[in-house]
Amino acid sequence: MAEHTPRSLIVTLYGAYGRTPGNAPLPVAELIRLLNAVGVDAPSVRSSVSRLKRRGLLVPARTAGGSAGYSLSSDARQLLDDGDRRIYAHPQPRLRDGWVLAVFSVPEAERHKRHLLRSRLTRLGFGTAAPGVWIAPAALYDETRHTLERLELAPYVDLFRGEHLGFAATRESVARWWDLDAMAGLHLEFLKQHEPVLRAWESRPGTPDPAAAYRDYLPALDSWRQLPYADPGLPEELLPKEWPGGRSAEVFGLLHARLRDAGAEFVRGVPDGLP
């Protein structure tokens, strides 16, 4: 599993606590405070914020008190809203729901967009059924459409819904379309890192301390939010026995239930920021 980067932690912070009804900006000083609590120094925060601004995910804005800050762009809010359905809901997939297919063709003169398409479909959790033919559970259709439209890649892609009719058994085909061993390894690494954290919290009586809850919750969320993209949610009957994905989802769900709101108290300790 990838290490926590300042840029990823900032996106995770905004995703967890930064989507207020009025899209209130978070002051730069408070971004630094909140990231420092999880081990990120001020220069790294400022550098990462600049990169996220260049990518169009953060926009500069003044807080109600006049401090310099950053709020989410409309594209970033859509990205995070789409992500919520994977990260928090994590519904049990059903084989009868079928698949979404992405078939693309990119002119040679624009081959850089071919690379971008492949990388984005991979990040969305698509497997490769054949050259230029990508497949994912049908539940990912809306998010796929939003992503391709946002990146102006939709003109190169046709999307289809369907079911697998053969000739190999679907279970065998899925093992070709996705690297299931690598996927399972990510779940096991998440459990190695965060299941002991859950056990430690379960042994503590009473209400969690806000600062401690925040310090444990934000890295857990940052680790977990990558997993539903690496693992797009394949039906249980298509997966190997003793698949670790269910347990990793359970561990994150319990950490979320115990720590998220307590961590919000630490975030709300800002003098001029999120309400």
Side-chain angles (χ1 to χ4, degrees), residues 44-56:
S44 296
V45 173
R46 294 184 186 278
S47 174
S48 297
V49 165
S50 294
R51 292 192 187 97
L52 291 168
K53 178 184 173 184
R54 288 196 296 270
R55 289 179 55 192

Side-chain angles (χ1 to χ4, degrees), residues 24-270:
L26 186 59
V28 174
E30 297 308 324
L31 269 174
I32 290 172
R33 177 182 76 90
L34 293 169
L35 271 295
N36 181 257
V38 290
V40 181
D41 60 29
S44 296
V45 173
R46 294 184 186 278
S47 174
S48 297
V49 165
S50 294
R51 292 192 187 97
L52 291 168
K53 178 184 173 184
R54 288 196 296 270
R55 289 179 55 192
L57 298 178
L58 294 180
V59 293
R62 292 283 172 180
T63 68
S67 299
Y70 287 89
S71 59
L72 291 165
S73 68
S74 58
D75 280 348
R77 290 182 73 90
Q78 180 69 72
L79 187 68
L80 292 171
D81 289 346
D82 283 338
D84 283 354
R85 286 184 281 275
R86 296 203 203 199
I87 294 166
Y88 300 112
H90 206 66
Q92 181 63 42
R94 302 173 301 181
L95 183 57
R96 67 177 180 269
D97 292 338
W99 307 92
V100 58
L101 293 175
V103 180
F104 65 83
S105 178
V106 180
E108 184 62 24
E110 298 179 278
R111 58 181 178 271
H112 63 286
K113 292 186 177 179
R114 188 182 306 139
H115 172 73
L116 180 58
L117 261 169
R118 288 170 177 159
S119 66
R120 291 297 168 166
L121 290 172
T122 298
R123 291 184 189 181
L124 284 166
F126 276 71
T128 309
V133 181
W134 296 65
I135 187 168
L140 302 189
Y141 165 73
D142 286 335
E143 185 178 359
T144 301
R145 179 178 176 180
H146 293 156
T147 300
L148 296 176
E149 289 175 342
R150 178 171 57 84
L151 297 174
E152 299 181 348
L153 295 171
Y156 305 95
V157 184
D158 286 302
L159 297 177
F160 303 87
R161 288 186 189 271
E163 58 181 312
H164 183 236
L165 299 177
F167 291 93
T170 303
R171 182 186 178 98
E172 296 174 8
S173 297
V174 161
R176 295 196 312 270
W177 299 338
W178 283 274
D179 186 342
L180 297 180
D181 288 341
M183 204 183 291
L186 293 174
H187 285 293
L188 292 172
E189 182 63 24
F190 177 86
L191 289 169
K192 179 181 177 181
Q193 291 182 20
H194 299 290
E195 194 166 22
V197 176
L198 174 63
R199 288 198 295 266
W201 279 104
E202 288 177 334
S203 69
R204 302 178 195 176
T207 303
D209 171 72
Y214 171 84
R215 285 195 296 268
D216 281 346
Y217 178 66
L218 196 72
L221 175 58
D222 192 56
S223 293
W224 171 256
R225 73 180 182 89
Q226 303 171 47
L227 270 172
Y229 288 91
D231 177 352
L234 300 171
E236 184 178 3
E237 58 264 45
L238 302 180
L239 294 169
K241 292 181 179 180
E242 300 182 1
W243 182 252
R247 178 56 183 165
S248 66
E250 180 184 20
V251 167
F252 172 72
L254 292 168
L255 284 168
H256 175 75
R258 187 173 184 87
L259 303 181
R260 192 272 174 196
D261 290 347
E265 294 182 30
F266 179 75
V267 176
R268 283 196 297 267
V270 301

